[in-house]
Amino acid sequence: LPSAEHFENVPGRGVRGRVEGREVAVGRLYDTLPEELTRAASEAESRGRTAVVVGWDGVARGVVAVADAVKETSAEAVRELRALGLTPVLLTGDNRAVAEAVAAAVGIDADQVNAEVLPEDKVDVVRRLQSEGRTVAMVGDGVNDAAALATADLGLAMGTGTDAAIEASDLTLVRGDLRVAADAIRLSRRTLGTIKGNLVWAFGYNVAALPLAAAGMLNPMIAGAAMAFSSVFVVSNSLRLRTFR
């Protein structure tokens, strides 16, 4: 294919540039379509596909129908997220028919589907959920997800995604498998539980032992040995995280 010059990404709308002297645009950048292309786009969307309009010199010339292949592990990932007490929400710029088809395939409730949203709309959804008192984790991989990833309480970027998404996120998932997001949350919860357990033990130990030492009721050698045992306990308790699978 010939190279493109003056390439421009229009967030949530598509891309355009100059190819061999002609202005080429791909996406949803045309306000009006010929009747034939409108019919082709409607037919594609009725089959759960995304209609991408292509054209040049300011005129729409054709429609390309594309469909996302849902990964076999995605439905399992949604089940794991639900098991953690989370409510999966789908945010996508695709049309509603495609979004609902994907949601049904992976097990996301129809009322949790937000389709045909622009990047700023994704941010609005995240903020609305936060205003309802919810803690929001956002998983994304595209340029259009970057703003929402930065706005969410926890931004998770797929390692196979764009640099913009990775830069905006708090955590990068190395594998392009949504199940890793559930693993990350489970590991985070277990880590936090371990930290709290260590703090309870350390403070409880000192609260109990300091008065005895101050009253002279605790032999210094025993106190030193007990302090060493406390450190060993905390380190050993933390090392249990290495058994996480």
Side-chain angles (χ1 to χ4, degrees):
L1 295 176
S3 60
E5 301 175 337
H6 306 293
F7 179 84
E8 179 187 2
N9 171 51
V10 183
R13 302 277 293 174
V15 295
R16 57 191 172 201
R18 181 178 291 273
V19 180
E20 295 186 336
R22 292 190 168 187
E23 297 292 335
V24 179
V26 181
R28 296 185 293 176
L29 296 170
Y30 298 94
D31 296 327
T32 59
L33 297 177
E35 182 179 348
E36 183 180 3
L37 295 188
T38 300
R39 186 168 57 252
S42 299
E43 181 181 349
E45 293 176 352
S46 67
R47 291 184 292 166
R49 299 181 179 181
T50 299
V52 181
V53 179
V54 297
W56 52 89
D57 295 336
V59 180
R61 312 278 180 166
V63 172
V64 178
V66 297
D68 290 323
V70 179
K71 292 185 177 180
E72 297 178 356
T73 58
S74 296
E76 181 181 348
V78 171
R79 288 194 297 270
E80 291 184 8
L81 292 172
R82 287 189 183 279
L84 292 171
L86 306 177
T87 302
V89 177
L90 178 61
L91 294 177
T92 178
D94 288 338
N95 68 78
R96 178 156 293 277
V98 173
E100 290 180 348
V102 171
V106 300
I108 296 178
D109 297 336
D111 60 349
Q112 298 297 341
V113 175
N114 296 269
E116 302 176 15
V117 291
L118 298 174
E120 56 269 27
D121 298 326
K122 294 183 179 181
V123 173
D124 291 339
V125 172
V126 171
R127 287 175 175 166
R128 174 174 58 78
L129 292 172
Q130 290 173 329
S131 68
E132 296 173 357
R134 301 187 184 187
T135 300
V136 180
M138 169 76 182
V139 183
D141 63 355
V143 174
N144 293 336
D145 299 323
L149 286 169
T151 304
D153 298 288
L154 173 63
L156 300 166
M158 308 301 289
T160 55
T162 62
D163 292 339
I166 293 173
E167 183 68 24
S169 66
D170 301 299
L171 182 66
T172 300
L173 306 175
V174 178
R175 288 187 286 131
D177 187 339
L178 191 56
R179 292 178 299 179
V180 181
D183 291 339
I185 293 173
R186 289 195 296 113
L187 178 58
S188 298
R189 289 181 176 180
R190 184 166 172 181
T191 301
L192 186 58
T194 299
I195 293 173
K196 290 179 178 179
N198 288 342
L199 288 174
V200 169
W201 169 262
F203 279 108
Y205 171 85
N206 283 282
V207 168
L210 284 176
L212 295 177
M217 300 174 61
L218 192 62
N219 186 292
M221 293 184 62
I222 297 177
M227 181 60 71
F229 173 76
S230 174
S231 298
V232 170
F233 172 84
V234 169
V235 172
S236 300
N237 189 43
S238 300
L239 287 175
R240 291 190 304 116
L241 291 170
R242 298 183 64 181
T243 64
F244 177 85
R245 294 291 182 272

